Amino acid sequence: IPWHHCAGNHDIDRSAIADEASRETWKRAFGPRRYAFQYASATFFILDNVEYFGRADGRYRGHFGREQLQFVRNVLAHVPRESLVVLSMHIPLR
């Protein structure tokens, strides 16, 4: 069966100095930090909402950056409004 991984806070490369480089190991093993696919009539988003502040700080937060939100907008522009959309991310929304 297909299996889709979603990056989380335990997948951070703690030696990275910034968020942009913090999933290099993840990308080599699993692929992109975010992607979308369709199954039946549903559109699925696998999103990375863990923003790493860098090794000097070591902290992270749940956050969707501008680039990731633009990715979602671009995909949704091709999805009929009545279609089911499923979001997968690590840090729960509040």
Side-chain angles (χ1 to χ4, degrees), residues 3-78:
W3 191 273
H4 296 274
H5 294 280
C6 183
N9 58 302
H10 294 281
D11 302 305
I12 294 171
D13 292 334
R14 296 273 180 190
S15 62
I17 60 171
D19 184 64
E20 295 79 28
S22 67
R23 301 304 185 295
E24 292 304 315
T25 303
W26 168 270
K27 290 191 292 188
R28 283 193 301 275
F30 299 108
R33 292 175 66 165
R34 65 177 171 272
Y35 60 95
F37 65 94
Q38 288 194 309
Y39 182 79
S41 60
T43 301
F44 290 79
F45 285 92
I46 309 299
L47 303 172
D48 181 358
N49 70 333
V50 179
E51 181 184 33
Y52 181 54
F53 294 128
R55 71 173 175 231
D57 189 289
R59 293 181 306 140
Y60 61 88
R61 70 175 176 167
H63 179 74
F64 291 109
R66 198 175 292 207
E67 184 178 308
Q68 188 158 217
L69 291 175
Q70 187 61 52
F71 166 74
V72 172
R73 278 188 212 98
N74 291 345
V75 173
L76 289 178
H78 302 283

